[in-house]
Amino acid sequence: MTNSFQVNSKEISKIKTTSKREKDFRIKNLNFFNKNGFPNKRHEDWKFSDLREIIYKNFKKLNTKNTSVKVKKINFIKDFDHNYVAIVNGELHSSNFKFEDKNKIKIKIFKNKNFSQENESNPLICLNHALANKGYHLEIKDNYKFKKTVIIYNLFTKDLKDSILNSRNKIKVGKNSELHTIDFIINESKHKFVNNVYENVALANNAVYKNICIQKDKSQGYFHKFSKNQLLSKSKYSTFIFPSGLRFNKLDLEFNLEGKDSECNLQSASFLNKDDHQEIKTKMNHLAPNCKSYQRVKNVLSSDGKGVYQGKIYVKNIAQKTDAYQLSKAMILSDNSEFDSKPELEIYADDVKCSHGSTSGKVDEDAIHYLMTRGLDKKESTKLLINGFLNEVIEMIKSNSVKNFVKGKLKKQIYGY
Amino acid sequence: MKNENINHNQDYKYGFTTDIESIKAPKGLSEKTIRFISKIKKEPKWMLDWRLKAFNRLKFLKEPDWQKPKFPKIDYQDLYYYSAPKGMTDKPKNLNEVDPKLIETYNKLGIPLNEQKKLSGVAVDAVFDSVSVATTFKDELTKKGIIFCPISEAIQKHSDLVKKYLGSVIPISDHYFATLNSAVFTDGSFVYIPPNTRCPMELSTYFRINASETGQFERTLIIADKGSYVSYLEGCTAPMRDENQLHAANVELIALDDAEIKYSTVQNWYPGDKNGVGGIYNFVTKRGACRGKNSKISWTQVETGSAITWKYPSCILQGDNSIGEFYSIAITNNHQKADTGTKMIHLGKNTKSKIISKGISAGKADNTYRGLVDIGRKALNSRNYTQCDSLLMGNKCGAHTVPYIKNKNSSSTIEHEATTSKINEEQLFYCNQRGLDQEEAVSLIVNGFCKDVLQQLPMEFAVEAQKLVGISLEGSVG
Amino acid sequence: MLEIKNLTASINNRDILKGLNISIKPGELHAIMGPNGSGKSTLANVLSGKNGYKISGEIRYEGKDLKEMSVDKRAQKGIFLAFQYPIEIPGVNTNNFLKTSLNKVRKARGEKEIDTMSFLKLLKEKSSELGIDEKMMSRQLNLGFSGGEKKKNEILQMKILKPNFVILDETDSGLDIDALKIVANGVNSYRDKKKSFLVITHYQRLLDYIKPDFVHVLSDGKIVKSGCMELAEELEKKGYNKIK
């Protein structure tokens, strides 16, 4: 089958390239995308999310042209003090680190300098390699702990229509440093568009990085993010993902626990409703001894919502004393919704503790009955249970102000949509 | 490559060869070979046409490559597809006509065939390379209307049943190896249990590969008519040879309303030597259809042999209230590789499935559980419970779990759990302190680990299987 | 029976036993008392041959050096350790385990294997002595057993395997008074002039029921004081700190 969403190689000439190597790299990757097109369910990694079918159904064409980045006003969150970075349609717009020591922080437009990467088999990553021309690079120097959270406002403007945005971001946290971020996604476009992000997070020895990712509204976006994360010795990475509300959303997250005693914690809670299709795919690579990883993914599915979780734990033979756990739970409310999972273990070391669990099923009828005997109607009871089911993840957030903020947003997803 | 075995694997006690003259089909895979097989089996034309149809489809198929164990390219033109001991082309009417060497072979394997010595309570169909040598207890079964015979005989004598059900669970061109089997299958067992009949004894087929450079392609078809019950056992061994031999069987089970089939396998094909030379490629397609309401199919397998095991005994739960079960032990040692599991396809309402898998990996072996649980939109109120436990011995081996789980309605529940661990040092110490040596302690603990599966086996086989678990792991600790 | 000279043991470079001497003759029952962390359980483990310890000094059992002997060989030669925390082994039938174990020990003694009928008879007799419900024996080994059931099961194994030298590692811990009496009676009925015991305990309580011939106080990896029953009573009154 030929790829009807081919991108003309002239597009690459429009991108400011620094070297011939860069240009060749981009062309090589574009050729791969043009040849293979959007991935379909015949790709093992896309078995449960046939992106080709989804794109063909919803788009006639896709344009790669740059969009305007003018925004009148950003509605900043007023619930708590924070630093911010504003990204508009993938492009770095502005930033403010008024609570921090500015000498310790570097932020600039991202430039890809690493072209020697191995061949990718995911056509979307190739497309990003070929066309990415925006994004940010945030670097925290050694021995610096942030005083306040950084909110990364990801704005998508009204004029996005049939666009495909390709951006790359990188965050580097230096030795003994600590950074907390919240990715906050605000979408003003009423039209369909594709957002394709490549992200890198690198944690040096003993660094701590905590991240929360949340959508403000339901939107017409089709999102794909590939994120490759490096954890060096004794570093800690924690991420909370509340990604509901997109037409399509695939988060492909790879964590490389390269240093001894590093730890990774990933938790997610989503309420997936009409027209939502969401996949979280993780690859937890235990490459050094004594590392810990914990994953918990919870989904509530309503209407024709579809949720997918593909989580893999890989343990290299030298990674003895690994402690890895993975849990996915889904509550299915409608006969039109679907939950698929593939919790995978690939283990080559014997002195390890690795386990996973995956359950999916209906809402607890006994609990509903109990609540109804207390005077709640069925709908209210169900909502209360859903809230409780998802709140379990939110309760793990330490900061009260952030926790309450996230709770408010999630409640809106459950009640509002 | 064609030498008789030169590597001595002490642990494999079934590794002897029987020196017997055989009749073979022309070497290689061709229409000529298929016509040869069909002719020598005196098959009706519809059967030959069926085989040729499969052969034509095969030309458009490729060997699957998604499984974890990779294997060197198989030269299908360098194999014999039919090999039978001389004088066996017409099935002997009684044991006096059977070559004493064959009877001796089965005696050595612990499967006596003569009337005086035959196992009580177990009817045996003994398959040697491409033909069935003998079937015991035939008369007693016939009285109850039970058909238990080689499939080649069934094709001639019960062709309406064969025609109706053959290929109805595993379509003629399901995948490469299943299609290959459809084209060249030689023998295997056929079982039909009439309505409301409980089969009074265990039915068993014992497969033996003897000839070199020969693939074994058996086909088994079991039909349990309404309200009937049957328990069927399958055992397998092969001589030690330093070539890899292909075994690509198809097994189809059909359970009608209220019927139950229990299918147990103790697979002990030659696993190859300690360096990974030789051994059987065990590429088997097993599938059961719970076609009727309230029907039940239960698979139990103990997989200890073969260089590569690659099979997924599955259940298609079509009938409302039907039940599918899969109990598996897969032990891999030295260079063995196993990629095994099941598929539970829920289509009917109130269907239930249960999967218990125990994988044990030692030496440089790789052991993968791969399974699918798919609860369809219309399979309301269905349930699945899956538990996969892996045990690793040493850090040169691998244990992998690859489940695919799909739930498509709001009244069904799926629960999946998996763990990976090593043998607990404290448990070993406790056993040692009570006087058990290291290997006995390991065998005991591993047998305990496998108990949920072992207790599913019929008594006669459970004891044998327990011993096999211990033997398979010999030399893996220390 | 058992001769220990200048025994030291360390694990992960941490010294636990630091030159321990003890001599136990046939028919004697020695009690070792000591505070937490004094090395009591390490002594039990080292005598049974558990891996992971670096040891020096001399351990002679019935005149032979024990140090190179594996755990199972020691057990076959009649050394029995009643565990402080008996290990749970899922899927393994208690009955079956005990029969396998008994046959190993019998074989080492040059006796022939016991058949199932005689074994079950023996088991029935010994369990009723200890007030053990026979049904317990068909359950999985130690799985879901209460603390008391586990300890009784250890004593039952002792009585069936008939060892010459028995180490009781904190057998009294986790027992109520009724169970304690049953366990003590089990041990007492097994005492004779050929068998020796090493009873490791934190409290005097057990020794009220199992009378020791000698009492030793273990502290920081050494025996700091030896005496008779009076020493145990003194310890109970004054506490370990006063004795040194």
Side-chain angles (χ1 to χ4, degrees), chain A residues 22-208:
Chain A
E22 180 183 344
K23 198 170 175 179
D24 290 347
F25 173 74
R26 286 178 183 273
I27 287 171
K28 186 184 96 182
N29 279 287
L30 190 69
N31 288 341
F32 184 89
F33 174 78
N34 282 340
K35 194 174 151 226
N36 293 283
F38 286 100
N40 66 3
K41 63 178 173 218
R42 254 178 264 160
H43 293 69
E44 181 66 26
D45 287 348
W46 296 83
K47 224 176 174 87
F48 304 111
S49 300
D50 192 326
L51 184 62
R52 186 179 298 179
E53 191 191 309
I54 292 166
I55 294 283
Y56 280 39
K57 212 153 98 189
N58 292 289
F59 292 91
K60 292 228 160 47
K61 58 176 173 114
L62 278 169
N63 63 64
T64 56
K65 272 188 223 97
N66 276 336
T67 48
S68 74
V69 293
K70 278 177 211 147
V71 274
K72 275 183 226 141
K73 186 178 138 230
I74 299 171
N75 289 315
F76 290 115
I77 293 166
K78 297 192 180 65
D79 304 52
F80 47 90
D81 288 341
H82 61 270
N83 307 288
Y84 74 82
V85 173
I87 312 291
V88 178
N89 298 340
E91 219 155 302
L92 179 60
H93 175 273
S94 55
S95 64
N96 186 328
F97 293 96
K98 62 183 170 187
F99 297 101
E100 312 297 331
D101 176 354
K102 292 184 185 64
N103 293 323
K104 297 288 185 183
I105 303 161
K106 257 180 28 193
I107 181 146
K108 57 184 184 191
I109 294 168
F110 183 79
K111 290 233 176 359
N112 190 16
K113 289 188 186 109
N114 185 9
F115 309 120
S116 56
Q117 300 180 37
E118 53 198 280
N119 288 332
E120 268 301 336
S121 61
N122 179 348
L124 281 167
I125 297 178
C126 292
L127 186 65
N128 188 289
H129 281 332
L131 299 176
N133 58 349
K134 51 195 159 219
Y136 67 89
H137 181 177
L138 175 63
E139 189 175 340
I140 316 304
K141 297 203 172 131
D142 294 352
N143 307 311
Y144 184 74
K145 287 192 165 47
F146 265 62
K147 293 180 183 68
K148 299 282 179 197
T149 300
V150 181
I151 297 189
I152 300 165
Y153 292 93
N154 284 280
L155 273 80
F156 296 95
T157 57
K158 285 192 181 108
D159 53 339
L160 286 178
K161 193 182 175 188
D162 296 332
S163 308
I164 179 162
L165 307 170
N166 288 285
S167 61
R168 305 175 75 91
N169 305 320
K170 183 166 188 169
I171 295 177
K172 243 173 116 171
V173 185
K175 276 183 205 155
N176 308 317
S177 293
E178 180 162 351
L179 171 68
H180 297 197
T181 63
I182 297 176
D183 277 290
F184 190 56
I185 295 147
I186 306 166
N187 188 358
E188 290 173 345
S189 169
K190 295 278 177 288
H191 305 287
K192 293 172 182 172
F193 68 96
V194 180
N195 185 38
N196 183 23
V197 181
Y198 185 103
E199 185 189 81
N200 252 183
V201 175
L203 305 186
N205 291 346
N206 224 8
V208 176

Side-chain angles (χ1 to χ4, degrees), chain B residues 15-85:
Chain B
F16 62 89
T17 48
T18 307
D19 188 14
I20 197 159
E21 215 180 321
S22 58
I23 291 173
K24 286 179 169 153
K27 208 173 201 180
L29 181 60
S30 64
E31 200 175 310
K32 209 171 134 199
T33 302
I34 292 163
R35 285 183 186 280
F36 175 92
I37 294 171
S38 192
K39 194 175 169 200
I40 206 160
K41 299 260 174 203
K42 301 197 174 81
E43 285 177 355
K45 185 170 179 298
W46 66 265
M47 195 66 245
L48 175 65
D49 292 345
W50 201 82
R51 288 175 179 276
L52 292 174
K53 194 171 155 194
F55 180 63
N56 284 326
R57 297 273 183 85
L58 189 67
K59 293 173 188 160
F60 301 100
L61 294 173
K62 276 195 196 117
E63 293 167 297
D65 61 355
W66 45 263
Q67 73 281 17
K68 191 146 172 75
K70 303 295 174 211
F71 54 90
K73 195 108 192 82
I74 296 169
D75 184 354
Y76 294 96
Q77 299 309 333
D78 197 34
L79 282 180
Y80 290 109
Y81 290 84
Y82 178 88
S83 169

